[in-house]
Amino acid sequence: MSTTPQKNRAARRALAAAAGLATVAALIAATPAAATSRGHGGGGHGGHGHHKPSTVDLQLLSFNDLHGNLEPPSSSATVNEKQADGTVKPVLAGGVEYLATSLRTARKGHPYSITAAGGDLVGASPLLSGLFHDEPTIEALNKIDLDVTTVGNHEFDEGAVELARLQNGGCHPTAGCYEKGRKFKGADFPYLAANVTSEKTGKPILKPYTVWKKNGVKVGFIGVTLEGTPNVVTAEGVKGLKFHDEIETVNKYAKELDRQGVKSIVALIHEGGLPASSSYNYDCDSPAAGGGLSGPIVDIAKGISPKVDALVTGHTHNAYVCTIPDPAGQPRLVTSASSFGKLYTDTTLTYDRRTNDIVRTAVDSANHIVRRDQPKAQDLTDLITYWNRLAGPVAGTPQGFISANIDGRSAPTSESPLGDVIADAQLAGTAAPEKGGAQVAFMNPGGIRGDLVYKASGLEGDGVVTYGEAFTVQPFTNLMNVVDLTGTQLVTALQQQVSGLNEASPKILQVSHNLAYTLDMTKTGAARVVTDSIRLNGAAIDPAKTYRVAMNEFLGGGGDGFAALGQGTNKLVGASDLELFNAYLAANSTPTTPLAPPAANRITIIK
């Protein structure tokens, strides 16, 4: 095995370099010399005998939503494992040093092995990757031998031009190259974006599909992100782009692949589902096929052409391996492997050489934990060490002090203690007349990417919040906006948390300390907001009055379904959310008087 990945990589890189952005050609994995002797599942003889076996076992390894988590994640660090006795045990997981080992171990004895991903591999990344515009993550994925991925919404955080750079290489336009003589080479796997077109040309901004080939075996991969990507990315990130229907797009290219004689097709879809259990190993096909899954991916799966043999999904950060019938009523696999590199999916697809298609009845798939009690992959450890050396001086700088964990991402409640701290930081940083004169602040829950953990992550000592830890919580460095909104618009924004686009899956804004109200979740839609309970500084909201409201530029652009917040006028653009967060920590905590977790009692929820 030792020489094969290098050979594969060299072949892929040469192809990718030649292909350029608009025509990232079908990238062909080089044939591993060692494969012929393994003979796994009747497919490993590679045509050396007089007759080829009629079927080949194809191994599909997949993962999704890595979000630049090269080191084991500090928050959301476990996966739930259902035990034989029915109890659930959290297991520490993740980190690319372990992911590489897991994948390399899984590939042994599988000459026909493909590794694919479901998007959001970069973006919203911890400092180690985010500080360097995610170049470290692309380099890690190259080492892991990823064959193909779709784009996710976070691949657009810095816009299409930056995404093209991640594919093709080159120094960052403003940050430049990070070390003299070391040029970023780009991804040696194709990023697919079938449903993302340029408004100017009408053509996909990246290759819509790729075909993996080996010894006459051909598998097509089509990659799409959620059609709603513009609702969850800053307006700047999706400027000049159009996002199309997932089903229509996949079906269009499945037809095209079929015409080319590619009958085995996998769709990589950055949209997901909500499983009935949080345990990664529960039976998603109970009580019936796909019965344990709800959410957008279910309808998408039901609409995608029977020509497609399996769906690798993502976006919701959940774990599931389900069978959802295709439009012809045939069972079809739909998988997702949690997030942050904590799980990978191992799927065996039986490929029939006579039809060049997948035998759907012979599909075997399961999620596996990327356990931290296995050896680390040395080449990934070396990569992390290299980037940590460059990040160290910035990452370790203390910003403030906390008395206990302040939960954000992992908080079990809609209003999180860390969300309260962030909203307070945004109000404090924008309240002065020259800074915008804000009277209230809102923070979107999806923008909080971690927790503040009391236990030291390095040598800084317990309770010390470093720049790296603060960055992990707020990695987007969105600029702050302060705008005029009427009282009516303000109330409408609160109603949009639980109605319209957010009715089925509410997005509860984190609010500054001077706003309080009640949500009645026994009601439906906008009526869930008890309007006469809303108090700002103890007073009712006056519909006709104008209020100065602080929020990040994502919300200011109407992101996450908050159209009312996008209607603000008289906009003042301020410092970044991360700057205000760090300034607040510095102003409100010392080693002797650390910041305590807020009570998170601003929103009263009736269930």
Side-chain angles (χ1 to χ4, degrees):
M1 264 293 293
S2 59
T3 58
T4 315
Q6 290 308 120
K7 250 198 277 186
N8 277 2
R9 204 150 58 238
R12 287 206 302 263
R13 181 165 281 153
L15 276 167
L21 170 61
T23 57
V24 181
L27 302 193
I28 301 161
T31 306
T36 52
S37 62
R38 293 208 182 98
H40 173 81
H45 302 293
H48 290 274
H50 291 298
H51 60 277
K52 287 181 181 172
S54 61
T55 62
V56 170
D57 272 1
L58 268 181
Q59 181 187 53
L60 177 63
L61 300 174
S62 54
F63 58 94
N64 51 277
D65 294 275
L66 180 65
H67 289 289
N69 278 266
L70 301 183
E71 295 174 300
S74 60
S75 59
S76 306
T78 58
V79 288
N80 288 334
E81 183 174 54
K82 194 176 173 192
Q83 307 300 300
D85 64 1
T87 58
V88 173
K89 179 177 135 192
V91 181
L92 280 172
V96 293
E97 297 156 291
Y98 303 110
L99 179 62
T101 300
S102 290
L103 294 174
R104 287 165 185 173
T105 304
R107 287 177 192 137
K108 283 181 180 152
H110 294 271
Y112 293 85
S113 182
I114 312 167
T115 304
D120 273 10
L121 301 182
V122 299
S125 307
L127 183 96
L128 179 62
S129 187
L131 189 63
F132 305 106
H133 298 278
D134 283 312
E135 288 180 24
T137 296
I138 298 295
E139 291 183 354
L141 293 167
N142 287 344
K143 286 185 187 294
I144 283 172
D145 285 314
L146 182 63
D147 288 296
V148 57
T149 185
T150 181
V151 295
N153 52 291
H154 282 282
E155 265 79 16
F156 294 93
D157 284 347
E158 293 190 48
V161 174
E162 173 62 2
L163 174 57
R165 186 184 77 88
L166 290 181
Q167 177 73 81
N168 297 325
C171 297
H172 190 270
T174 55
C177 281
Y178 296 108
E179 215 167 45
K180 206 173 182 304
R182 190 181 193 273
K183 189 170 173 261
F184 174 58
K185 294 189 173 75
D188 59 20
F189 50 89
Y191 257 113
L192 304 179
N195 68 330
V196 188
T197 58
S198 156
E199 281 178 355
K200 267 197 196 126
T201 67
K203 293 191 169 77
I205 60 158
L206 291 162
K207 194 78 182 155
Y209 59 82
T210 190
V211 181
W212 183 94
K213 298 177 187 172
K214 182 174 169 184
N215 296 345
V217 172
K218 290 187 289 194
V219 186
F221 288 87
I222 303 165
V224 295
T225 183
L226 64 149
E227 187 184 3
T229 291
N231 299 327
V232 291
V233 176
T234 58
E236 196 55 38
V238 293
K239 210 172 171 179
L241 305 177
K242 271 189 113 132
F243 292 79
H244 303 269
D245 182 88
E246 304 94 339
I247 299 172
E248 283 171 24
T249 306
V250 172
N251 290 353
K252 170 183 159 182
Y253 288 111
K255 213 179 269 178
E256 196 170 306
L257 283 165
D258 187 54
R259 279 201 301 268
Q260 294 171 20
V262 179
K263 306 293 183 189
S264 296
I265 302 172
V266 176
L268 307 175
I269 303 178
H270 191 72
E271 177 59 291
L274 309 165
S277 161
S278 69
S279 297
Y280 83 93
N281 57 338
Y282 90 107
D283 181 7
C284 184
D285 288 334
S286 169
L293 194 67
S294 60
I297 200 65
V298 176
D299 287 339
I300 291 172
K302 286 176 179 169
I304 282 179
S305 161
K307 294 185 198 304
V308 176
D309 298 296
L311 276 56
V312 171
T313 74
H315 189 55
T316 56
H317 291 204
N318 288 317
Y320 46 85
V321 174
C322 298
T323 313
I324 297 174
D326 69 15
Q330 296 303 307
R332 180 168 56 194
L333 191 69
V334 180
T335 71
S336 175
S338 183
S339 63
F340 300 170
K342 294 182 292 190
L343 294 178
Y344 70 94
T345 314
D346 188 342
T347 303
T348 303
L349 299 168
T350 301
Y351 182 96
D352 188 332
R353 282 189 179 276
R354 288 161 302 194
T355 61
N356 295 326
D357 208 346
I358 300 299
V359 184
R360 288 261 203 100
T361 50
V363 173
D364 181 33
S365 184
N367 275 326
H368 299 278
I369 300 181
V370 175
R371 294 182 186 272
R372 296 192 205 166
D373 54 4
Q374 60 183 323
K376 296 178 180 184
Q378 188 59 48
D379 54 339
L380 274 302
T381 302
D382 294 344
L383 182 82
I384 287 170
T385 304
Y386 169 81
W387 287 105
N388 261 330
R389 183 173 57 77
L390 293 187
V394 177
T397 317
Q399 303 297 312
F401 307 87
I402 55 174
S403 64
N405 286 358
I406 304 182
D407 289 344
R409 194 79 178 174
S410 69
T413 48
S414 309
E415 178 189 349
S416 70
L418 188 51
D420 286 358
V421 172
I422 291 169
D424 288 349
Q426 295 183 351
L427 180 61
T430 55
E434 70 280 9
K435 297 280 171 70
Q439 295 162 278
V440 65
F442 292 133
M443 173 63 192
N444 58 305
I448 304 166
R449 305 305 294 190
D451 309 319
L452 287 185
V453 179
Y454 179 77
K455 194 173 166 15
S457 59
L459 304 171
E460 75 275 14
D462 291 349
V464 179
V465 180
T466 63
Y467 185 87
E469 290 164 342
F471 187 100
T472 296
V473 166
Q474 291 224 271
F476 299 109
T477 55
N478 272 324
L479 295 177
M480 289 303 299
N481 290 181
V482 184
V483 299
D484 281 354
L485 288 173
T486 64
T488 299
Q489 288 169 323
L490 215 153
V491 172
T492 303
L494 291 176
Q495 291 169 334
Q496 285 169 348
Q497 302 176 104
V498 288
S499 63
L501 288 174
N502 297 325
E503 169 129 28
S505 184
K507 288 196 169 76
I508 306 303
L509 294 166
Q510 310 297 290
V511 299
S512 51
H513 63 88
N514 56 343
L515 185 74
Y517 68 96
T518 298
L519 269 179
D520 185 351
M521 298 306 284
T522 65
K523 296 194 160 69
T524 56
R528 289 166 164 175
V529 175
V530 182
T531 46
D532 59 8
S533 72
I534 305 170
R535 292 285 179 275
L536 180 62
N537 297 317
I541 299 287
D542 180 345
K545 200 176 154 191
T546 297
Y547 296 88
R548 294 290 284 162
V549 185
M551 65 196 86
N552 59 37
E553 61 189 321
F554 168 66
L555 281 178
D560 265 353
F562 290 101
L565 296 181
Q567 293 163 1
T569 56
N570 194 15
K571 178 163 73 177
L572 183 125
V573 178
S576 79
D577 50 11
L578 180 62
E579 261 178 84
L580 297 194
F581 184 49
N582 284 332
Y584 184 82
L585 290 172
N588 291 279
S589 69
T590 67
T592 52
T593 57
L595 187 69
N601 57 1
R602 299 165 190 185
I603 307 168
T604 304
I605 299 183
I606 300 167
K607 285 183 174 162

